[in-house]
Amino acid sequence: MESKNIEKIKESLSNHEVQILPYLDESFEQICKKSGLDETSVLRALRYLANKKIIDLDFLKKKVVEVGVNGALYKKRGLPERRLL
């Protein structure tokens, strides 16, 4: 009975899902590099595999703040309010 389920799962996989399967123990960047797929394709394939209950995904959200031109200037010279005082 179990082999029938495995065969059904194999038939339901897309080309991108099959391409990333050997690299699932790698990091996301390594999966992209070794499979030859772009980040969007890898992410979609991983989500499809998760939706099919083949893998479990854990996400880590990061908030990145980049300093703009004014921010760099204010860091160097100080805030205008402080310079005024």
Side-chain angles (χ1 to χ4, degrees):
M1 189 72 174
E2 191 173 307
S3 64
K4 289 182 181 179
N5 289 337
I6 292 173
E7 289 302 318
K8 283 184 180 179
I9 291 172
K10 283 182 183 179
E11 291 173 2
S12 71
L13 296 178
S14 70
N15 290 335
H16 288 169
E17 292 168 339
V18 172
Q19 282 180 304
I20 67 168
L21 278 178
Y23 311 114
L24 287 179
D25 59 343
E26 304 284 337
S27 68
F28 180 76
E29 292 81 16
Q30 289 297 319
I31 293 173
C32 294
K33 187 176 182 180
K34 290 182 178 181
S35 67
L37 299 172
D38 60 304
E39 291 181 3
T40 305
S41 298
V42 171
L43 188 57
R44 284 183 183 157
L46 288 171
R47 288 195 184 230
Y48 290 147
L49 289 172
N51 288 340
K52 294 176 184 179
K53 307 277 192 241
I54 297 173
I55 62 170
D56 291 324
L57 292 178
D58 293 326
F59 292 97
L60 176 64
K61 289 188 176 183
K62 290 184 179 180
K63 192 172 191 177
V64 177
V65 178
E66 292 184 12
V67 177
V69 175
N70 287 334
L73 181 65
Y74 294 157
K75 183 178 180 189
K76 185 177 180 181
R77 293 187 184 170
L79 293 172
E81 300 87 4
R82 300 230 176 187
R83 288 191 328 206
L84 182 64
L85 295 176

